[in-house]
Amino acid sequence: MTPFFSVIIPLFNKEVFIENTIKSVLNQTFQDFEIIIVDDGSTDNSFKIASAYKSDKIKLFKQPNQGVSTARNNGVNNAKAKYIALLDGDDYWYENHLSELKKQIDLFPEAGLFCNSYEVFYTSTFKRKAHFNFEYHEDCLLVEDFFKASIINCLAWTSAVAFSKEKFNAIGGFDPYLKTTQDLDLWIRIALKYRVSFNPKITMSYKLYVNDSLSKNEFNTIRYNFNNKFLAEEKTNTSLKLYLDKNRYALALRCKMNNDYEIYNKLKKEIDYKNLNFKQKLLLKLPKGLVRTIKSFQVFLIEKNIYLTAHK
């Protein structure tokens, strides 16, 4: 019998988290699903831990290390269900996650992307719910402007979304070149072609503090190319331009702190500063040492369970 959802879990060196991640799927109130785990060449005990589960819902695949985009694409290729739900190997679903996604699908079957709300763990003990730039209440809805809604936190988070396999394949799946931002790239391509649905119910948690590795300098060029991938669309879509300029601002700060001044100087010329607020413009102008001090102070406050942002 064909399941309603295929849950795709790419797995690379998540031995500390993968057991709880799998349990969070098996404990769903909505049980019509299969789990497809694609091990992307793990060098720790991740594959062994995942293999220990004998549930007939779980299908386990192994590939040489090729990156998360390829792992997810391979997972979708092997999926039997019409609808795909993504889950990263260190994230966690609350038991209502799939039922709340199905609620959106039943209400808005024409949508291309179904997004549940989520919360972010900034440390192992400090979390905040994601904040979005539009007004909503308790009911599921079709979002009027995905890009404007996503300038604080992205409305779509990888482990909190679902989409149809047919629409995913129609837009070409995840871009294997993108070692980072591959999820944002997919959401943009979907949102440019289809409607996006949103459910305000929080159904998953994302461990931001686990993913520091993506701050490495070698990803800055990939981030830069991603931000310029939609130059033609930006010219006629002011909301997309706003969204990408916020991303360019964040990348410019990262490049300044990492002494990557070639990309930093390019970005300063490409940003429309009308899309930034006063705090963001100021941070771009401040000396690197002062920006580092401010960043260190933000980290200190997070350790005290206080979160300040330049978005407001």
Side-chain angles (χ1 to χ4, degrees), residues 111-113 115 143-148 150 154-156 167 171 183-197 230 233 237 240 243:
L113 187 62
C115 310
V143 180
E144 184 176 341
D145 191 326
F146 172 82
F147 302 116
K148 279 188 178 178
S150 298
C154 189
L155 200 68
K167 289 184 172 70
I171 64 168
D183 46 0
L184 301 182
D185 171 72
L186 183 68
W187 314 149
I188 290 173
R189 285 186 281 128
I190 291 176
L192 286 171
K193 189 171 183 178
Y194 304 107
R195 298 297 302 273
V196 177
S197 168
F230 301 96
E233 292 83 355
N237 190 322
L240 176 60
Y243 174 74

Side-chain angles (χ1 to χ4, degrees), residues 7-22:
V7 179
I8 309 301
I9 304 177
L11 181 59
F12 179 72
N13 291 355
K14 300 294 184 183
E15 64 180 5
V16 176
F17 304 102
I18 187 59
E19 184 172 2
N20 283 334
T21 297
I22 294 172

Side-chain angles (χ1 to χ4, degrees), residues 269-308:
K269 296 175 183 177
E270 295 166 358
I271 293 171
D272 183 344
Y273 286 87
K274 290 183 291 186
N275 286 331
L276 303 185
N277 62 30
F278 173 78
K279 290 181 186 177
Q280 292 163 341
K281 293 174 186 175
L282 179 62
L283 285 169
L284 280 182
K285 292 180 180 179
L286 291 176
K288 178 184 69 176
L290 189 51
V291 174
R292 283 186 175 275
T293 299
I294 293 170
K295 179 64 177 177
S296 296
F297 184 61
Q298 183 191 40
V299 171
F300 169 79
L301 290 177
I302 287 173
E303 292 171 351
K304 302 297 181 184
N305 294 350
I306 300 170
Y307 182 76
L308 297 180

Side-chain angles (χ1 to χ4, degrees), residues 116-133:
N116 283 351
S117 192
Y118 56 94
E119 56 190 9
V120 181
F121 276 84
Y122 291 89
T123 70
S124 60
T125 57
F126 174 48
K127 66 180 181 180
R128 296 175 80 245
K129 67 178 183 179
H131 289 266
F132 309 109
N133 187 45

Side-chain angles (χ1 to χ4, degrees), residues 210-256:
V210 173
N211 293 282
D212 292 339
S213 61
L214 293 186
S215 65
K216 295 176 182 176
N217 263 19
E218 58 261 35
F219 292 113
N220 287 343
T221 299
I222 295 174
R223 290 187 177 95
Y224 177 80
N225 291 336
F226 155 72
N227 281 315
N228 286 337
K229 190 175 180 180
F230 301 96
L231 289 175
E233 292 83 355
E234 285 182 84
K235 292 178 180 178
T236 57
N237 190 322
T238 56
S239 295
L240 176 60
K241 172 64 173 169
L242 169 67
Y243 174 74
L244 289 173
D245 276 352
K246 296 288 188 180
N247 278 277
R248 291 183 178 108
Y249 149 77
L251 178 57
L253 279 188
R254 182 192 301 272
C255 289
K256 177 189 280 190

